[in-house]
Amino acid sequence: MHARHGSSSQLILAISNIMGSLISLMVNFTAAGALVSVLSPLSFQTGVIIAGVGVLSYTLTSGFRASVFTDFAQLVALMAIGVIIIPAVLFSMGGPSVMVSGLSNLTFEQQDFFSSEAFFQQGAPYFVAVLAYAIGNQTITQRLFAIDKTKIKATFITATVGYAVIVIGLGMIGLMALTIGIEPLDGNMNNLIPQMVSTYLHPVFNALFFILVIGSLSSTADSDLSALSTIMMADVYGKNLAKGRVKPKTMMLVGRGTMIVATAAGLISASFKLDILVMLVFVGALWGAIVFPVIASVFWNRVTNVAFTSAVIVGLLLFCVARFELIPITGFTTLFFEILASVGAAVVIGLMVFGFLGRKIGMAAAAITLVLMLIFATGFLRQYMVLLASLTAYGASTIVCVIISLMGDEHFDFDLIKQRVGDYDKKPPVQPLAKS
């Protein structure tokens, strides 16, 4: 972004990543605290501190290398949870017959596999958030550059399928809890899965589940610490504070100091015990404002620095207005946000199709989605403010980015990026020895 637009767009992207990663840290520490408090005699606060200090201790010295190794451990852990823990819980509570007989405890919406209520309240907002994660999350970018170029497609397909299986599998434990009428401990939904495991499994399985999930949470948390340190080292210090005189030792101190401060911030914010799913959807929507400007900057030479900056700011402001209802969302105001959300839905579908099938088919899919949304969504989306706000972030930033870009006459030469991007500590080329 610095090579494409300059420091303002780069810092906007960096700041959004910092906010997102801090919230992600808070979510992971919160989950760890809930797990410890349910499965052990220790308190929630103790679990949060254990997770924070443990992750910081090895990430501080090994950085991204440690994150990569723990990612592998995370994959093994989640597969073990799916293969061992889920069937064990099912049979401990009485087997499939008990679960089937308990389906009568579910509401009509909970029984419906294609429930519109579940889709619009949670499924669709989470889907929109995950797309933003792929663009706005520095942890994914780091992994992208660490993958062998010939294996990028295979890696992402495998990750997508594996992620879906794991989410559905863990969701089954929640479904089991519903069928037998289990209520979350202290009314906190974060406690439900560890509560089911501790209720129905042998202490040995409890210990296994505890180790596996703590390892998984640690892997995500150390990724966020690595991402935050990279942003502060490269984008804030390297490009904006060092003024061309980068000192490797200072850069390292900035990175490690960032990890310590970020861990402390994550520990403090985790003490509020906010709902994990709500926070994940929130940060995804927050990143939604940067999705189109970032992708357009890579493929479209008309996007300007002013367009990028303005689009992100307007998208974030309108998202916050809709999400927290800072003004009364009624009448014409509601229709205005529904139109923006319709554009946002078109952008989401268009970008997804563009990624797999190319620009022309992607634009066609976006146009069809926009027409359908304007016909069916206006007057309807206002019932689902979380989804409305998430899509508004996409739609508003896209409209502003396109309009301001077309108002200018810039035609960026992408070859300039190769000239502008390089190492911070460039060394003079070694002169070949003269032939005698």
Side-chain angles (χ1 to χ4, degrees):
M1 284 301 108
H2 189 277
R4 175 70 172 85
H5 291 305
S7 59
S8 62
S9 296
Q10 178 204 22
L11 287 176
I12 282 180
L13 194 57
I15 291 170
S16 69
N17 268 274
I18 291 171
M19 292 175 60
S21 290
L22 286 174
I23 293 175
S24 179
L25 274 176
M26 177 194 71
V27 165
N28 282 282
F29 293 158
T30 300
L35 185 69
V36 169
S37 65
V38 173
L39 296 182
S40 76
L42 300 176
S43 66
F44 172 86
Q45 289 77 12
T46 303
V48 170
I49 293 173
I50 290 173
V53 174
V55 170
L56 179 63
S57 63
Y58 67 84
T59 311
L60 199 61
T61 55
S62 300
F64 184 64
R65 181 181 295 275
S67 181
V68 171
F69 279 109
T70 52
D71 267 357
F72 178 76
Q74 177 188 27
L75 173 63
V76 175
L78 291 175
M79 291 175 64
I81 290 172
V83 173
I84 300 174
I85 300 295
I86 297 171
V89 172
L90 176 62
F91 286 101
S92 294
M93 59 181 266
S97 59
V98 173
M99 185 175 173
V100 171
S101 63
L103 291 176
S104 58
N105 295 328
L106 305 182
T107 65
F108 176 77
E109 286 291 338
Q110 290 170 341
Q111 293 179 28
D112 185 6
F113 186 79
F114 299 100
S115 168
S116 60
E117 191 71 16
F119 177 76
F120 288 112
Q121 292 285 17
Q122 289 191 348
Y126 194 69
F127 173 81
V128 171
V130 168
L131 176 61
Y133 270 67
I135 304 302
N137 194 334
Q138 174 74 2
T139 65
I140 296 177
T141 307
Q142 286 183 332
R143 279 149 182 72
L144 178 62
F145 279 95
I147 297 171
D148 187 314
K149 290 182 180 180
T150 62
K151 298 178 180 178
I152 290 178
K153 186 174 182 180
T155 300
F156 273 76
I157 291 175
T158 304
T160 300
V161 174
Y163 181 73
V165 170
I166 290 166
V167 170
I168 293 171
L170 291 177
M172 287 297 295
I173 297 182
L175 178 60
M176 295 175 201
L178 279 174
T179 59
I180 58 177
I182 293 289
E183 291 293 330
L185 187 65
D186 300 327
N188 190 341
M189 294 299 293
N190 299 336
N191 295 331
L192 189 58
I193 290 181
Q195 183 181 342
M196 283 289 290
V197 173
S198 64
T199 302
Y200 288 99
L201 293 186
H202 188 275
V204 173
F205 281 99
N206 288 341
L208 176 63
F209 180 79
F210 181 84
I211 293 170
L212 294 180
V213 177
I214 285 292
S216 302
L217 295 173
S218 299
S219 177
T220 306
D222 62 41
S223 299
D224 286 311
L225 289 181
S226 296
L228 283 167
S229 64
T230 302
I231 292 168
M232 294 302 294
M233 290 164 66
D235 296 282
V236 177
Y237 170 73
K239 280 290 186 183
N240 292 281
L241 298 180
K243 305 297 183 182
R245 296 185 298 274
V246 177
K247 297 178 180 179
K249 288 185 178 180
T250 303
M251 181 177 275
M252 186 65 70
L253 287 174
V254 169
R256 288 177 172 170
T258 299
M259 288 185 180
I260 296 171
V261 173
T263 301
L267 294 176
I268 294 170
S269 54
S271 64
F272 296 112
K273 299 184 181 181
L274 300 175
D275 186 276
I276 291 174
L277 183 59
V278 171
M279 293 308 300
L280 288 175
V281 171
F282 174 79
V283 72
L286 204 61
W287 275 330
I290 71 172
V291 170
F292 182 84
V294 168
I295 295 179
S297 296
V298 175
F299 291 97
W300 189 27
N301 64 356
R302 294 293 300 274
V303 181
T304 64
N305 182 41
V306 174
F308 184 101
T309 306
S310 304
V312 175
I313 293 174
V314 171
L316 286 176
L317 287 176
L318 291 178
F319 160 73
C320 291
V321 169
R323 181 66 180 86
F324 303 109
E325 299 187 46
L326 300 179
I327 61 174
I329 309 297
T330 57
F332 176 78
T333 305
T334 309
L335 181 61
F336 169 73
F337 278 104
E338 285 179 330
I339 292 173
L340 290 178
S342 297
V343 175
V347 172
V348 170
I349 299 301
L351 290 177
M352 293 285 287
V353 175
F354 163 71
F356 288 101
L357 302 175
R359 185 182 62 181
K360 292 183 179 179
I361 300 179
M363 293 181 69
I368 294 171
T369 303
L370 178 59
V371 172
L372 293 176
M373 288 292 293
L374 290 174
I375 295 173
F376 297 107
T378 49
F380 171 76
L381 270 181
R382 63 193 66 183
Q383 303 173 59
Y384 306 99
M385 290 305 298
V386 174
L387 178 59
L388 177 68
S390 300
L391 292 175
T392 294
Y394 280 87
S397 66
T398 299
I399 292 172
V400 172
C401 184
V402 171
I403 291 176
I404 296 181
S405 295
L406 292 177
M407 288 173 60
D409 57 357
E410 177 178 313
H411 290 78
F412 183 76
D413 181 5
F414 285 100
D415 288 335
L416 292 174
I417 292 180
K418 296 179 182 178
Q419 301 174 21
R420 295 174 178 175
V421 175
D423 297 327
Y424 292 107
D425 54 347
K426 288 184 178 179
K427 299 176 182 179
V430 178
Q431 297 296 327
L433 295 175
K435 293 183 179 180
S436 55

